[in-house]
Amino acid sequence: MKNIIRLLLACAVFFLVSCEKNLEEVNIDPNNSPTANDSQVLSSALGSLGYWVDVDLNSQSFLWAQYYTWGIGVSIGNQERFVSQPDDYDNAWNRAHEQCLIDLKFLTKSESAAYRGVGKLLTAYIYQGLVDHFGDIPYSEALSGEIEEGSILTPTFDDAATIYDNLIALTDEGLAEFKNATSDIGEDDFVYQGDLSKWTKFGNSLKLRLLMRLSEVNPKGDQVKSLISSGDFIEDLSDIAAVPFSGETGSQNPMYARFEWGVGDFYFASNATVDVLRDLNDPRLTEFYSLATVGAFSGQIRGIDQGTIDNEPFTADAAEYSGSSDYAYGVANSVILMSPWEVWFLRAEAAARYGTADDDEAAFNAAITSNFDYIGLSDADSYISTLNYGGSLDEKLNLIGIQKWISMNGTQEDEGWIETRRFDRPGNRIFTEGIFQTPPLSILPAGTFPASWLYPASERSLNPNTPAQRTITDRLFWDN
């Protein structure tokens, strides 16, 4: 009798387990995987990356790059006065890690060499952005919270210069993946539509950016010369690396959507930039900024000095001043990750510093022409002829630095701010002792400007390994 009961119980257990397994199999939709696939993750990563670059970086930096200044509509804000709080940077830090890098980590483990390569290059791109703002950050132990990775929830902070060396190697790894890859990336690749030859150009261009960022503190001329001689780069507008936005609901340019859902675009053109463009008779002035439409300056560009909106008439109409143009601020504007003008400026500088295979003047001219072409201007040659490129290395670097800063206006404002810090060299303080204006309400001494971001409040509260807080005037390792 006992044996019969045991047999019946065993059969019942087998039946229940079998039914559970069969029901699980029945409930799996073969067309809708319960886990994300490479295609979905890449789409998510690129969307988050576009938002991070345009909202967390560009819209934070266009004031410190002095392209814009505070306008009528709100009282002077902390950014304009160079007042920074740690929680100002929570979103940039958290979005980079929780939305961008975690998706890209998934891609770097893909079975597809193409996805692995893209994942590695974009990972290097984001980590460079983090280092360029925060300095030392978690890298070797970052994103290692899973059990099989050690459950590291409080990662150590790695030396920024060491991270840069690792990022250069990571770009090489990403490029190597493409050599054995088939292009199995398609519509999910919003940037290059699966064209691995263009991703290769992006990777080489990114590596050049990394190497040239070190030019003042740890020159790597031999590596630069080798890269220039053997690599394909972003060279024309068809190679531009950008995340596109259609302008439709759900696909609006991130900066535009953020401002329009908030207090709007109330910023005015800064005279720090306007004065330079006027002195150079630069036709891009009326492309970067809108014309005033009322008052004595109607039909003209009218900026104000940096941070002086409190000195303007209280009854003034915002239309009496110049704001951003459609080129700089539009619902369907793409978010540029790397542009051909940025890369040509890097190549011009590399040729001037290290004597690469490029002609530095030709590369300088190509950079400006590329920017003019993107804007839709046709008179680049006549403008370039007025700049009189040449002279000593310092004179060439000054021309490259200023023209690069100008060309980043409206599209790559964060990169523009980063490069003002690097080109502002000892003995050639072309920005901090020449172009930049000290806002009247600045909490920093006259002629002193921000050089880095503070460590975020969220990281400091959760990670005891976060270094002691810095001030925003502390220079990063590649600065001088």
Side-chain angles (χ1 to χ4, degrees):
M1 184 68 178
K2 290 180 180 180
N3 289 335
I4 294 174
I5 292 173
R6 290 194 186 101
L7 179 61
L8 291 172
L9 288 172
C11 290
V13 169
F14 176 80
F15 175 78
L16 289 172
V17 171
S18 298
C19 286
E20 181 179 355
K21 181 178 180 181
N22 290 335
L23 287 172
E24 288 175 353
E25 292 174 349
V26 168
N27 287 329
I28 293 177
D29 182 350
N31 297 317
N32 292 284
S33 172
T35 58
N37 56 40
D38 290 343
S39 174
Q40 294 167 325
V41 172
L42 179 57
S43 297
S44 173
L46 290 174
S48 297
L49 177 58
Y51 191 95
W52 183 68
V53 169
D54 216 30
V55 172
D56 294 320
L57 302 187
N58 287 338
S59 65
Q60 290 266 9
S61 296
F62 62 46
L63 286 171
W64 287 1
Q66 300 212 357
Y67 296 126
Y68 292 93
T69 183
W70 226 263
I72 293 171
V74 295
S75 58
I76 285 288
N78 282 348
Q79 269 189 308
E80 188 74 278
R81 298 183 294 125
F82 302 149
V83 175
S84 283
Q85 302 296 335
D87 58 5
D88 292 339
Y89 307 105
D90 285 348
N91 287 338
W93 181 276
N94 295 335
R95 202 180 328 275
H97 289 89
E98 296 170 7
Q99 296 181 19
C100 299
L101 288 172
I102 198 67
D103 279 348
L104 295 173
K105 180 181 178 181
F106 178 91
L107 293 181
T108 61
K109 297 180 179 181
S110 169
E111 294 181 358
S112 161
Y115 279 104
R116 290 198 303 270
V118 171
K120 290 177 180 179
L121 293 182
L122 291 178
T123 295
Y125 180 94
I126 293 171
Y127 272 118
Q128 183 186 22
L130 289 170
V131 171
D132 287 348
H133 294 83
F134 295 107
D136 296 352
I137 59 170
Y139 181 74
S140 59
E141 293 182 348
L143 308 176
S144 299
E146 297 182 12
I147 294 175
E148 59 270 23
E149 296 176 328
S151 300
I152 300 174
L153 302 180
T154 56
T156 58
F157 279 60
D158 295 289
D159 172 69
T162 302
I163 295 173
Y164 248 63
D165 289 339
N166 279 275
L167 297 182
I168 292 168
L170 185 59
T171 61
D172 286 336
E173 291 179 23
L175 290 166
E177 296 283 10
F178 296 147
K179 294 179 180 179
N180 300 313
T182 57
S183 183
D184 54 357
I185 305 176
E187 294 181 355
D188 50 306
D189 175 9
F190 304 143
V191 177
Y192 287 133
Q193 296 73 52
D195 188 335
L196 298 187
S197 67
K198 292 191 175 183
W199 277 113
T200 297
K201 292 181 178 183
F202 173 81
N204 287 325
S205 301
L206 177 60
K207 183 177 179 180
L208 182 61
R209 180 201 274 182
L210 285 159
L211 291 170
M212 294 307 297
R213 199 81 94 213
L214 304 174
S215 57
E216 285 290 315
V217 294
N218 184 18
K220 296 184 180 292
D222 289 343
Q223 290 187 49
V224 171
K225 286 191 284 188
S226 176
L227 179 62
I228 294 292
S229 297
S230 60
D232 291 328
F233 298 91
I234 295 172
E235 291 188 338
D236 55 47
L237 298 185
S238 66
D239 299 330
I240 196 167
V243 180
F245 292 88
S246 68
E248 299 175 358
T249 301
S251 182
Q252 296 178 325
N253 171 270
M255 185 188 295
Y256 180 93
R258 174 73 177 274
F259 286 173
E260 293 303 311
W261 292 342
V263 296
D265 176 16
F266 56 82
Y267 300 98
F268 289 168
S270 170
N271 278 339
T273 299
V274 171
D275 290 348
V276 171
L277 294 173
R278 280 200 175 120
D279 288 345
L280 294 173
N281 197 24
D282 195 315
R284 289 173 290 186
L285 175 60
T286 54
E287 301 297 327
F288 294 149
Y289 303 111
S290 62
L291 302 176
T293 57
V294 301
F297 294 90
S298 180
Q300 302 176 45
I301 296 293
R302 185 190 185 192
I304 62 173
D305 290 345
Q306 194 75 30
T308 60
I309 189 61
D310 286 350
N311 298 332
E312 298 298 306
F314 180 74
T315 58
D317 186 334
E320 296 177 30
Y321 302 88
S322 295
S324 56
S325 66
D326 291 341
Y327 169 81
Y329 181 74
V331 66
N333 285 2
S334 297
V335 175
I336 294 179
L337 306 181
M338 291 197 77
S339 63
W341 51 91
E342 175 189 352
V343 179
W344 279 116
F345 279 123
L346 289 170
R347 293 174 66 170
E349 181 189 354
R353 285 183 182 272
Y354 305 127
T356 65
D358 286 328
D359 177 271
D360 59 306
E361 183 174 6
F364 176 78
N365 295 347
I368 296 173
T369 300
S370 175
N371 187 238
F372 271 54
D373 289 345
Y374 185 75
I375 293 171
L377 294 172
S378 59
D379 51 353
D381 288 345
S382 59
Y383 172 72
I384 291 169
S385 68
T386 68
L387 299 176
N388 299 315
Y389 180 86
S392 67
L393 176 59
D394 269 340
E395 289 171 325
K396 289 180 177 181
L397 293 179
N398 286 352
L399 281 166
I400 292 170
I402 292 172
Q403 285 298 317
K404 190 172 189 179
W405 167 70
I406 291 172
S407 297
M408 298 296 171
N409 196 341
T411 54
Q412 293 177 269
E413 297 94 338
D414 186 63
E415 189 65 18
W417 175 60
I418 290 171
E419 289 291 67
T420 63
R421 292 144 62 197
R422 186 170 70 87
F423 276 97
D424 203 58
R425 310 176 309 285
N428 280 274
R429 298 295 181 192
I430 56 175
F431 289 99
T432 58
E433 294 179 6
I435 292 172
F436 282 178
Q437 301 174 344
T438 300
L441 295 179
S442 172
I443 65 166
L444 302 179
T448 303
F449 302 90
S452 62
W453 285 3
L454 302 179
Y455 283 122
S458 58
E459 189 69 11
R460 286 176 58 79
S461 66
L462 296 173
N463 187 354
N465 291 319
T466 305
Q469 188 61 277
R470 63 162 64 88
T471 68
I472 61 171
T473 57
D474 291 341
R475 299 182 184 277
L476 302 185
F477 82 99
W478 48 253
D479 205 346
N480 55 80

